[in-house]
Amino acid sequence: MTLSLSASRALILFGALFCVDRFSKIVALFLFSEHPTMVIPGVLQFSLYLHTKFFSVDPTLLALIGFVLVGLFFIAALTLLPDRKSRAVFWIALIAAGAVSNFLDVLRYGSIIDWIEIPRLTFFNGSDTFIIGGCIGLFFSLFRKKI
């Protein structure tokens, strides 16, 4: 199997984003576990939150299912997408980096490490932003019209 230039770049992007996310989670474990840091009062703070339950489903099973599905999707995209859809490979790399990083959280810690908090609304991490951003970008790149 020979990878196209866009697929090779997607793998490099995947590796870089994965490393950045893993590093950010390690920093969060050490810096925010006892002392949250307010960035914008009432709007944004950095604090540690470990997700251990997901809709009453074992997080390891849920993460494994997600990891397998994303892995299959990533492999299919790298091998089946024509070059005109090379932007789609970029977005898939974002999704895969986020999914794999969250999967490793569950395997290593039994939970997903979230460290960005919007008070009274939600907790999330870099992986979550990769997944959401990748899904939005993939949607638009696959369904946009050529001019």
Side-chain angles (χ1 to χ4, degrees):
M1 175 176 88
T2 304
L3 294 177
S4 68
L5 183 59
S6 63
S8 299
R9 288 181 181 160
L11 288 173
I12 292 168
L13 176 66
F14 167 85
L17 291 171
F18 176 79
C19 289
V20 166
D21 187 62
R22 296 311 304 164
F23 180 75
S24 72
K25 289 177 178 181
I26 291 167
V27 169
L29 283 170
F30 287 103
L31 294 181
F32 309 131
S33 60
E34 293 181 19
H35 305 288
T37 301
M38 187 64 66
V39 179
I40 303 171
V43 177
L44 179 68
Q45 76 177 23
F46 297 149
S47 57
L48 191 64
Y49 183 80
L50 303 175
H51 285 282
T52 55
K53 290 287 182 186
F54 307 93
F55 308 108
S56 300
V57 177
D58 177 33
T60 307
L61 175 64
L62 192 62
L64 181 61
I65 292 168
F67 179 73
V68 168
L69 291 175
V70 167
L72 292 172
F73 189 62
F74 190 62
I75 291 167
L78 290 178
T79 57
L80 300 176
L81 280 177
D83 286 336
R84 64 183 171 78
K85 299 287 188 184
S86 63
R87 281 196 187 114
V89 176
F90 168 80
W91 299 115
I92 291 167
L94 278 168
I95 296 167
V100 170
S101 185
N102 279 344
F103 175 68
L104 287 179
D105 283 352
V106 172
L107 290 181
R108 170 120 197 218
Y109 304 106
S111 60
I112 293 177
I113 300 168
D114 283 342
W115 58 274
I116 304 167
E117 178 184 3
I118 298 174
R120 295 179 299 279
L121 187 59
T122 190
F123 282 89
F124 59 99
N125 59 40
S127 294
D128 300 335
T129 59
F130 297 163
I131 293 167
I132 297 299
C135 288
I136 292 168
L138 182 62
F139 177 81
F140 285 111
S141 73
L142 291 177
F143 298 108
R144 72 184 170 102
K145 292 185 178 184
K146 299 285 182 191
I147 298 175

